[in-house]
Every structure is written in structure tokens, then in C-alpha cells.
Amino acid sequence: MLRLHRLTLFSAGLALVVWYLLYANIGTAKPFYHWKWMDIVSEGGTALMAGVWLLFTLSSRPGGRVTNLLAGGLAAIMLGSWADCLDEFFHIGKEQIWDNWLEALVPCGMLLLTGGMYYWRQEQIRLNDHLRKRERLFRDHRAFDRITQLANADYLRDQIRLEQSARPGVDCALVLLDIDRFHLINREFGQQEGDRVLQAVGHMLLLNLRGDDLLCRYAGDRFAILMPDTALADAEALASHLCAMVGQMRHHGKAGRVPVSLRHACSMADAEPDALLGALSRAVETPAARTAGMVDSGAAASSGAGADAYRAGGHGGAPAGGHPPRAAAPA
């Protein structure tokens, strides 16, 4: 990671040398008995620790606003403290105002560091929210999909049954999202690029979901979202929003931009999971699913438990979710 910040490290190291040469050539060396060891240790130690923290920061973060603010603040504190320390070895005349300006880097660095920590806090809040959305999945590591690291179809069925048994009568919506012409993406750009599209769509969906929603990879090119405490109209509005967000993605592969869009179907999760998912699979295959996509869950229940003909979790529709349903995973 430090290789990404070679220019920053070189500039900070060069500044330390320039500071020393500046004091050594313009100032007058103080005799040994005038050295104030307490100031040397405290100011020099501050410069040393700020330099160590700078290395830690640059070795653990990519470039960006937060990294630049943190690194800039630490570098300024290091250089200002180094100037303070050099004052203990060289006498600088009071007419030399530049000495005061160099020492003023310490409070300036603290301001930069404070700004960096503020934006770092905002970044961590977003990351924690992103992880919290996955927390429900982390309870059962066997339910991970290999490509997207999302829950698979078996886990989705377990959670539908769990919601139905734990909170009967409470609204719970189910949304199925299908990537348009995914087989053409595989054919034109290759299977590896198809996997990257699945990962990108999964991340985009996850970032736009609420904390209690559960995102799963239901099939090769299909994602399912379980939405507790959500009416059908609200689920439809959120699904339309998700489709719009994915449609605005600028996904670029090695061969150029890869167009990605979704269609969706929605239903209340108040019937047998296989029947619900089967009805949603049929609905999402119709052109009408691009705009309205609501499914009558009562009709889904009457269609039978074996209606799910597109049960998959592998690449491009290869079956991976067709195992018999397991017992409901613990909440």
C-alpha cells in the first residue's frame, strides 16, 4: 500500500532534510549546555510519533479525501514539531519570521487531522451500515454464494418461513430482480465479466437497501430481497428505485462499457416459499415486470410448492439452490 503514496513519503522525508539544512545554515548552533532535554524529548518525540502514525495511515489506506486529510495533518504535525525540536539546537533570530511559520504547522496539522477524522467517522458509519445489512447472513456461513458472497436460495426460503412463523399477520414483502439479457453479457464479454457484473449489481443493491432487508442471490442472474414490515406498494416503489439505480451504473469491463439493467416482480411473503418464488420467476420473465411486477400471493400459493422452475445459484442459470429446504436458520 505504501507504493501508492511514494510521492507523499518522499515529500515528507525531503521536507525533514530541508528543515534541518535551513536551521543549520541560517541559525547559530547552541552550545551543548544550553540544550533543554525535556523540550528535545517532547518535541522530538512528537515529531517521531507523528511520522510513525503517518506511515501507519499510508500503509493501511488507499488514496482519497480521508487519507489525504489524515496524512496531511500528521505530516504537518511532524514537520512543525521537528521545527520546534531544531530550535533547541540552533538559535534563530527574532527577525526570522519563517521560524514561527514553520512551528505554526502543528495547529494547522491538528485542524487537517480533525477534518480527516470527521470524514473518517462518516466513512465508518457507512461501512458499518453496509456490514449491518449483511449481519443477518453472517449467522449461517454455509449459506454464502461463492461469487457474490450473498445468501443463497436455501437460506432465503428458511428466512421466509422464519418471518411467517415468528410474526404471523405482519406485512412482509418479497422482491425478485432479474438482470436483463445476462446470457448476452456472458456471451459477448465472457463468464469472468459476467461474474463481475453479478458482484457489482449485488453491491449496488446492498448499498441501497434498508438495514432490516435481506438480499440473496436466488438464481444465476436473479436476486431476491425479503422486506419485513413492508407493504406491497412500498416494496414496489423500492424495487423500482433499485432498478433505476442499477440502470445508472457505469460498469466498465476490459472490452468497454457493459450495459446493465434490471426488471422486477413483487409479492407479499405470505405463502409457501417455493410457490412464491415460482410465481415471481414467471412474472419477472414477462415484459410487464419492467414496470409493474406485482404478483398475487394468493394465486402463487394455489400454484403448488413445486412451481419454482428457475431455482439456481451458479453462473448464468446453473442450478445451485435446488436442494430440499433446510430447517429455518436461527434468528
Side-chain angles (χ1 to χ4, degrees):
M1 191 70 74
L2 285 175
R3 292 181 179 179
L4 300 175
H5 308 286
R6 284 176 293 186
L7 180 59
T8 301
L9 292 171
F10 175 78
S11 301
L14 180 62
L16 290 173
V17 176
V18 170
W19 264 226
Y20 174 79
L21 295 176
L22 191 63
Y23 277 85
N25 285 277
I26 297 179
T28 304
K30 293 181 179 181
F32 178 79
Y33 55 85
H34 280 175
W35 290 3
K36 297 179 181 178
W37 288 101
M38 185 64 70
D39 290 344
I40 292 174
V41 171
S42 61
E43 294 163 359
T46 301
L48 176 61
M49 294 309 300
V52 171
W53 296 340
L54 176 63
L55 288 175
F56 284 166
T57 301
L58 296 181
S59 64
S60 60
R61 293 186 57 88
R65 178 173 61 178
V66 174
T67 303
N68 293 338
L69 286 172
L70 292 175
L74 290 170
I77 293 173
M78 177 184 69
L79 294 173
S81 300
W82 179 232
D84 273 343
C85 184
L86 290 173
D87 257 347
E88 305 303 324
F89 299 98
F90 301 97
H91 175 73
I92 303 295
K94 294 187 180 297
E95 70 279 1
Q96 301 290 341
I97 304 178
W98 57 267
D99 178 45
N100 297 327
W101 283 107
L102 292 182
E103 294 176 2
L105 286 173
V106 174
C108 293
M110 289 182 177
L111 287 175
L112 286 175
L113 190 61
T114 301
M117 294 181 71
Y118 171 79
Y119 288 112
W120 186 23
R121 176 180 178 273
Q122 300 300 108
E123 179 185 85
Q124 287 301 124
I125 289 174
R126 291 192 294 269
L127 288 174
N128 290 340
D129 182 63
H130 185 76
L131 293 174
R132 184 169 57 85
K133 291 176 182 179
R134 290 181 177 267
E135 184 272 338
R136 190 175 183 179
L137 172 60
F138 289 157
R139 299 173 189 173
D140 187 352
H141 295 277
R142 295 170 300 174
F144 277 100
D145 169 65
R146 176 180 59 83
I147 296 173
T148 63
Q149 295 299 298
L150 296 173
N152 61 21
D154 285 340
Y155 189 81
L156 173 64
R157 295 184 184 92
D158 291 341
Q159 292 301 310
I160 293 174
R161 295 188 182 96
L162 185 63
E163 288 290 336
Q164 292 172 345
S165 61
R167 299 193 294 175
V170 177
D171 284 345
C172 183
L174 182 63
V175 175
L176 193 65
L177 299 160
D178 183 272
I179 301 178
D180 288 320
R181 301 175 297 278
F182 185 70
H183 65 288
L184 297 180
I185 294 177
N186 280 338
R187 183 184 307 166
E188 182 175 352
F189 299 98
Q191 178 174 324
Q192 186 175 5
E193 193 60 48
D195 289 346
R196 292 186 64 246
V197 168
L198 290 172
Q199 293 165 354
V201 171
H203 284 304
M204 177 63 74
L205 294 175
L206 197 61
L207 288 171
N208 284 275
L209 289 179
R210 303 166 304 178
D212 293 333
D213 296 335
L214 175 64
L215 177 64
C216 303
R217 185 188 177 196
Y218 170 64
D221 59 347
R222 293 183 180 178
F223 296 85
I225 308 171
L226 187 63
M227 301 180 177
D229 298 317
T230 304
L232 187 58
D234 295 333
E236 169 66 25
L238 182 55
S240 298
H241 168 73
L242 294 173
C243 291
M245 293 300 296
V246 171
Q248 294 174 15
M249 284 175 53
R250 296 294 184 267
H251 184 81
H252 293 274
K254 295 180 179 179
R257 183 183 174 187
V258 181
V260 182
S261 60
L262 298 180
R263 56 182 182 270
H264 70 275
C266 306
S267 173
M268 297 306 294
D270 55 1
E272 206 281 328
D274 283 323
L276 282 172
L277 292 167
L280 286 172
S281 292
R282 291 190 297 274
V284 83
E285 292 170 358
T286 65
R290 297 176 185 272
T291 52
M294 295 190 183
V295 175
D296 183 352
S297 58
S302 64
S303 65
D308 184 5
Y310 194 79
R311 189 182 306 161
H315 181 85
H323 305 292
R326 299 195 300 264

